Every structure is written in structure tokens, then in C-alpha cells.
Amino acid sequence: MNIYDTAHKLAEEIRKSDECVHLAELRERAYADETNRLLLDEYKRLQVQLQMSMVGEMPSEDMQRFQQLASLLYMNSDVQAYLMAEMQMQKTLADIFKILTEAAGIRFDVPEKP
């Protein structure tokens, strides 16, 4: 079997998994409310900006806004459930990525100092 065919099969298995189906249901519920949708979009934008700024510096007002949004969003049970399920899915995908990179003999961890 071609490696790309295998990757597409894995993608389909992930899409059909209970975790992914549950995540989609939670996402739909969280985004059903217009206010939640706007806040989640801003939260996601700032989250990506924060991740990208790990190399550099994120403006303190953006960091403060991100923290305020997180506090506000986590008070909503539908949004909280969605964000927690999304974090779990990200962890699962990171684990899968680690398995694949190890199979290819590629290391992404930071070597320890001697």
C-alpha cells in the first residue's frame, strides 16, 4: 500500500473516531450562539498569535485579552466542554505525530545539555 493511501486511511479513521465525532458535536453546540462564536474566533486568533510569539514577544495587551477571553469562555459549560475536547484531540494528534516521526527516525525533542 502507498504511504499516502495509508495516511488518507488514517485520516478517515480519525474523522470517524468517537473522539472526533464528539468534538464536532461540541463545536457545533459552542458555535451555535453568536456571542460565543465571536469570542471563540477572537480567542483562537489570539491563541495562534501566542503560539507564534513563543519565538518572540506577544504584546502584553494581547496576552491580557487572551487571558480575559479564556476566563470568560470557560464560564460557559458548552464552550468549556468544546475547548477541553479540542485540547484532548490535539494531544492525541501530537501522540500520533510522535509515533510517525519516530518511525521515520526523526527527532523533534530538544536534546538535553551534557
Side-chain angles (χ1 to χ4, degrees):
M1 183 177 276
N2 175 319
I3 194 168
Y4 290 101
D5 292 339
T6 304
H8 286 288
K9 184 173 170 49
L10 175 59
E12 185 61 25
E13 291 294 322
I14 291 170
R15 222 179 338 275
K16 290 179 180 178
S17 72
D18 291 342
E19 296 88 351
C20 199
V21 169
H22 184 64
L23 176 62
E25 292 167 355
L26 292 172
R27 180 185 308 110
E28 188 174 320
R29 227 179 8 209
Y31 276 87
D33 179 83
E34 179 69 13
T35 302
N36 286 347
R37 187 185 63 74
L38 292 171
L39 292 173
L40 278 163
D41 287 348
E42 176 70 2
Y43 175 82
K44 297 281 187 177
R45 185 189 67 76
L46 289 169
Q47 186 178 43
V48 169
Q49 187 177 340
L50 175 63
Q51 290 168 346
M52 291 174 56
S53 73
M54 294 296 182
V55 181
E57 184 80 19
M58 182 173 184
S60 62
E61 58 273 1
D62 285 344
M63 178 59 96
Q64 187 176 24
R65 175 76 176 141
F66 178 76
Q67 291 169 340
Q68 290 169 340
L69 279 171
S71 296
L72 183 63
L73 288 169
Y74 275 88
M75 290 192 312
N76 180 303
S77 61
D78 287 338
V79 173
Q80 180 183 30
Y82 161 62
L83 291 173
M84 296 300 288
E86 186 177 66
M87 279 190 266
Q88 183 58 49
M89 181 57 75
Q90 288 171 347
K91 183 189 177 311
T92 299
L93 294 174
D95 291 345
I96 292 169
F97 183 72
K98 183 177 185 226
I99 292 167
L100 296 174
T101 56
E102 286 175 357
I106 300 170
R107 290 183 53 186
F108 283 99
D109 55 330
V110 178
E112 293 184 29
K113 291 183 180 181

